[in-house]
Amino acid sequence: MMSDKHDFVVVANRLPVDLQTSPDGKRTWTPSPGGLVTALTPVLRKNQGCWVGWPGVIDDAPEPFCTEDGVTLHPLKLNITEYQGFYEGFSNATLWPLYHDLIVTPQYDREWWHTYREVNLRFADEVASVAAHGATVWVQDYQLHLVPGILRQKRPDLTIGFFLHIPFPSADLFQQVPWREELVRGLMGADLIGFQLESGARNFLELASRQGYDTHGEVSTREVSAFINLSGGRRVGVGSFPISIDSAEMADFTTVDLGGAERIHAELGKERTVILGVDRLDYTKGILQRLIAFEELLESGALDPQEVAMVQLATPSRERIDHYRLARSRVEEAVGRINGRFGQIGRPVVHYQHTSVNKTTLRRYYRMADIMMVTPFKDGMNLVAKEFVACHGDFSGALVLSEFAGAADELTQAYLCNPFDIESVKTALRSAFRGLRDQPDALAQRMQIMHEQVLSHDVDLWSTSFLTALGKK
Ligand code: ADQ
């Protein structure tokens, strides 16, 4: 039975559904499971929960429907103007680059801002219409900054949590935004504001204090000991809640044919060391820098093209935004150049695929890779790093990881590098090679420590600790 009021509501820009059109033109909307869905499904199921979001297709949306897990999916339709101003514009060409420390210059466009406000209002309206009296609402990410504030005004009975999946920048950077007060006020509607890292939470407290809010306490992880006192007696908790993956499921290869992983390796060349990259094709991920580091090591002779192969899987992303198109063409130019210089016909040194792959295939890639390269300039967490580590319960393999990925706080046994410094990426990659060749025991020990960290800190811990802290507020 689908009830129209819910005690627990998740609201995210994206609803976890995909539209499938069969050859005869028949259209079906099917739930699409991802990490966030897996983490939240138990809570949603227990509370007859509801998920509000945009179904991913412009000007089209199914009626609300109930999944097999008993979760109501409540779609919100966006037209092309809303999609451009709210999603591509303000969310992804203003806030995204600003929050990633200006890797590209953010654009401040008043029209986008107006649309962003209007769309946030619509999201808040939808939530208000489905939330039962006294319900808990969990707002996700930078696309919905204003939702907590609007909801608080409409529905003071609700308990509201907000979690930011991407980094939160220093107060100095944030103060650039023409609408800085409104954005902060929007978040203040929440009872609890969660960040990936303590550094992001501290940046936010510093910003709030500069904007005249009364802040007190020290930031901590998975619990709340820092607060902002608002006039009227309400207080907002601020804390760090590092997100993770469904680690046990990722690590469990009992139903996955490991021969598949071996076959992939064999196709690339059994004797070759395989370096893997897996990313959304985003300029923050440092894909080009990783390729250049690889190229320079081939050029200097430090790596032999007969003995090594790089695989880069890149999911298409935000393709209508200029900086994304440019990032893609630079990556593809580098792949072509490196293969032109160091590959042979039928035997490239870089294997590049600009598509998404299914989860089982992805896990085979992770498992067969000798070295995983995760080199973002800035990343809230980076789940790919954790997925790779979870897939190496045999303690094989090495991880090269950017210091600027949130995951570096936990995966301290990785070969850390600074992606702004190509020499540093090269050094980390060479160290990983040396580890593989000369110090297998030390390498296995590093992987074991990281594997245990990821297995004991999974996405369930993330959602439970956030919701427990929110419940205590
Ligand atoms: P993203 O920037 O999307 O997430 P990430 O955390 O790495 O980055 O998650 C990407 C997900 O997409 C992973 O689960 C990965 O397996 C999958 N993926 C990537 N390429 C793929 C491919 N070619 N085929 C199939 N799957 C692929 C944002 C923030 C991160 C934060 C997460 C969660 O930017 O910092 O970790 O949210 O909070």
Side-chain angles (χ1 to χ4, degrees):
M1 261 297 289
M2 203 170 89
S3 148
D4 58 351
K5 295 286 179 205
H6 303 268
D7 291 324
F8 183 64
V9 182
V10 170
V11 52
N13 166 57
R14 190 70 163 80
L15 194 71
V17 292
D18 285 324
L19 175 62
Q20 259 123 25
T21 311
S22 59
D24 62 0
K26 188 164 171 286
R27 293 152 33 98
T28 17
W29 295 90
T30 45
S32 61
L36 200 55
V37 188
T38 316
L40 298 177
T41 297
V43 204
L44 284 160
R45 195 193 297 134
K46 204 166 87 204
N47 297 285
Q48 286 222 335
C50 176
W51 186 309
V52 176
W54 172 59
V57 183
I58 294 166
D59 245 337
D60 199 354
E63 287 302 308
F65 67 101
C66 202
T67 67
E68 281 174 6
D69 286 315
V71 177
T72 303
L73 300 183
H74 192 97
L76 184 137
K77 201 192 274 189
L78 292 182
N79 64 33
I80 182 73
T81 317
E82 289 170 330
Y83 175 78
Q84 286 172 343
F86 155 75
Y87 180 75
E88 294 189 325
F90 199 77
S91 297
N92 288 318
T94 305
L95 294 183
W96 178 269
L98 177 71
Y99 284 21
H100 288 86
D101 288 353
L102 317 186
I103 296 159
V104 307
T105 306
Q107 280 173 260
Y108 300 115
D109 179 303
R110 280 167 282 193
E111 284 304 312
W112 290 352
W113 164 246
H114 290 308
T115 313
Y116 182 84
R117 263 200 335 210
E118 280 163 23
V119 173
N120 270 245
L121 188 61
R122 287 191 47 214
F123 270 95
D125 280 340
E126 287 308 318
V127 174
S129 73
V130 298
H133 185 81
T136 295
V137 177
W138 194 357
V139 184
Q140 308 288 325
D141 230 359
Y142 62 102
Q143 301 93 348
L144 304 178
H145 246 282
L146 307 180
V147 168
I150 304 168
L151 266 184
R152 174 69 52 199
Q153 290 202 335
K154 282 180 178 291
R155 292 287 306 273
D157 58 296
L158 300 175
T159 297
I160 305 170
F162 178 90
F163 183 76
L164 185 73
H165 290 256
I166 66 176
F168 193 79
S170 76
D172 275 348
L173 288 187
F174 188 88
Q175 291 289 67
Q176 287 190 356
V177 190
W179 310 283
R180 57 198 186 187
E181 269 93 15
E182 288 94 324
L183 286 168
V184 172
R185 208 179 309 130
L187 290 186
M188 293 300 179
D191 295 290
L192 171 60
I193 307 173
F195 297 87
Q196 300 273 23
L197 303 184
E198 291 190 359
S199 55
R202 276 195 294 271
N203 284 346
F204 181 72
L205 280 177
E206 156 77 17
L207 171 72
S209 159
R210 279 205 212 172
Q211 290 195 0
Y213 289 92
D214 171 23
T215 64
H216 66 107
E218 289 292 321
V219 166
S220 53
T221 297
R222 293 188 198 90
E223 52 189 28
V224 179
S225 48
F227 298 93
I228 300 166
N229 291 322
L230 300 179
S231 54
R234 214 166 58 75
R235 67 175 195 173
V236 179
V238 174
S240 134
F241 298 86
I243 202 168
S244 190
I245 55 170
D246 187 345
S247 314
E249 192 200 29
M250 251 304 152
D252 179 9
F253 275 83
T254 48
T255 55
V256 177
D257 166 27
L258 276 176
E262 282 158 22
R263 275 194 294 280
I264 296 174
H265 204 150
E267 275 168 28
L268 296 165
K270 233 190 181 101
E271 69 299 346
R272 286 169 121 182
T273 303
V274 177
I275 305 170
L276 177 65
V278 174
D279 314 77
R280 257 189 323 100
L281 211 160
D282 193 299
Y283 54 78
T284 59
K285 302 288 183 187
I287 304 171
L288 179 64
Q289 274 52 33
R290 169 184 326 159
L291 286 163
I292 292 173
F294 182 57
E295 181 177 27
E296 290 189 8
L297 289 173
L298 290 169
E299 191 174 61
S300 67
L303 295 181
D304 179 344
Q306 298 303 322
E307 292 173 2
V308 52
M310 182 182 262
V311 175
Q312 176 65 52
L313 306 178
T315 311
S317 182
R318 304 174 193 165
E319 296 222 275
R320 290 156 34 108
I321 300 175
D322 286 346
H323 284 296
Y324 285 80
R325 276 205 290 264
L326 186 64
R328 178 180 172 188
S329 69
R330 286 186 175 156
V331 163
E332 293 182 351
E333 184 189 317
V335 170
R337 186 182 63 239
I338 299 168
N339 279 333
R341 293 180 69 190
F342 303 104
Q344 291 169 341
I345 302 300
R347 199 174 158 87
V349 274
V350 183
H351 298 253
Y352 165 78
Q353 195 171 303
H354 184 239
T355 51
S356 210
V357 297
N358 69 42
K359 206 165 171 189
T360 306
T361 307
L362 184 60
R363 290 172 64 205
R364 288 193 175 116
Y365 274 99
Y366 284 140
R367 182 65 177 235
M368 69 83 202
D370 299 298
I371 301 176
M372 180 86 210
M373 289 192 83
V374 178
T375 55
F377 293 117
K378 192 82 186 166
D379 218 328
M381 178 54 63
N382 196 291
L383 297 180
V384 166
K386 292 189 173 181
E387 289 165 357
F388 171 75
V389 166
C391 286
H392 283 256
D394 60 350
F395 311 143
S396 66
L399 173 64
V400 172
L401 179 62
S402 161
E403 296 162 27
F404 300 102
D409 270 23
E410 290 173 75
L411 304 178
T412 51
Q413 297 295 311
Y415 293 92
L416 294 174
C417 68
N418 169 6
F420 294 93
D421 173 8
I422 293 287
E423 292 303 329
S424 159
V425 182
K426 286 161 66 179
T427 303
L429 188 53
R430 290 191 72 176
S431 303
F433 267 94
R434 262 199 304 278
L436 281 174
R437 198 188 53 211
D438 303 333
Q439 302 145 335
D441 292 345
L443 194 85
Q445 206 179 1
R446 292 172 87 126
M447 184 55 84
Q448 181 172 2
I449 294 169
M450 293 195 287
H451 187 76
E452 282 164 6
Q453 169 69 23
V454 172
L455 267 281
S456 56
H457 295 77
D458 64 1
V459 71
D460 190 48
L461 179 67
W462 169 76
S463 60
T464 310
S465 56
F466 185 93
L467 292 171
T468 305
L470 180 60
K472 284 189 191 150
K473 278 285 295 110

